[in-house]
Amino acid sequence: MNSKERREYIRNLLIENNITYKGQFLAEQLGVTRQVIVKDIAIIRAEGINIIATPEGYLIFNEESNYVRRVIAVSHRRDEIYNELECIVKFGGIVEDVTVEHPLYGEIRAMLMIKTIMDIEKFTKKFKEASAEPLSSLTKGVHLHTVRADNEQIIDSIIKELKDKNYLISD
């Protein structure tokens, strides 16, 4: 399989299945290195396909217009990450990303696509295993999430819950 065929295979796999695929998995399936997959993904993105890299792998991001999105400013300690994310997903919200404002680099954004309690557990487990720090550690806990939900009522419930827990940053 040449590089063009490989990229077409990756593109079709991501479009047809709408699930995440780790770069290492794709590399093993296609008999190439993970670095080749990273390059292929970059080329596919340059062709206009909206592929995002989440902690669980690559995914095509579909901007469905029937969803409601809101950017929410929050602040909390590292040990409150699980609880903050739980406030969002328990109402049916999806945490699309996290963004911080860095004094040198400007806006730093990471795709999360956290939809379930299981996603939260996997995400927070990675902090322990990798001894990693969340992006919010760069801004003393202050960060933004793009939250997606089926309707405004769900978003309102999420905001109320975050406010009640004193995570929401407001006037």
Side-chain angles (χ1 to χ4, degrees):
M1 173 180 299
N2 65 35
S3 59
K4 185 176 180 180
E5 293 168 334
R6 188 179 57 245
R7 286 190 293 275
E8 187 65 27
Y9 174 84
I10 293 168
R11 182 185 301 107
N12 289 338
L13 186 69
L14 292 172
I15 289 170
E16 292 169 8
N17 296 311
N18 197 30
I19 60 173
T20 58
Y21 288 94
K22 292 220 177 257
Q24 188 59 43
F25 171 81
L26 293 171
E28 290 168 4
Q29 292 292 308
L30 296 167
V32 296
T33 65
R34 188 180 171 291
Q35 191 55 39
V36 168
I37 298 299
V38 170
K39 181 180 173 186
D40 285 344
I41 295 292
I43 291 169
I44 296 168
R45 283 177 174 153
E47 293 170 350
I49 304 295
N50 194 7
I51 298 175
I52 59 172
T54 73
E56 295 305 311
Y58 295 109
L59 174 72
I60 291 194
F61 185 62
N62 295 320
E63 298 252 3
E64 296 141 18
S65 60
N66 56 337
Y67 285 111
V68 176
R69 278 190 179 76
R70 186 92 47 90
V71 176
I72 299 172
V74 291
S75 180
H76 54 76
R77 298 184 318 264
R78 183 180 200 268
D79 65 340
E80 296 171 318
I81 291 172
Y82 187 101
N83 188 259
E84 175 225 13
L85 296 172
E86 184 182 43
C87 290
I88 298 167
V89 302
K90 78 178 184 181
F91 290 104
I94 297 171
V95 183
E96 291 185 355
D97 59 26
V98 59
T99 305
V100 296
E101 185 68 31
H102 191 274
L104 178 60
Y105 298 110
E107 188 175 277
I108 301 174
R109 179 176 175 224
M111 298 307 292
L112 298 177
M113 299 309 284
I114 294 176
K115 303 173 187 173
T116 66
I117 296 296
M118 190 160 84
D119 291 342
I120 298 170
E121 289 171 359
K122 287 180 188 177
F123 181 71
T124 55
K125 183 179 179 187
K126 286 183 180 186
F127 285 121
K128 294 174 186 155
E129 291 174 350
S131 299
E133 290 296 322
L135 278 181
S136 60
S137 67
L138 298 172
T139 54
K140 298 180 181 165
V142 175
H143 58 287
L144 305 172
H145 285 301
T146 304
V147 176
R148 180 175 77 193
D150 288 337
N151 57 58
E152 287 287 345
Q153 292 78 21
I154 292 172
I155 295 284
D156 291 342
S157 296
I158 291 167
I159 289 172
K160 181 183 181 322
E161 180 91 2
L162 292 169
K163 188 174 186 173
D164 290 348
K165 302 249 180 178
N166 293 317
Y167 296 152
L168 189 68
I169 299 173
S170 58
D171 304 333

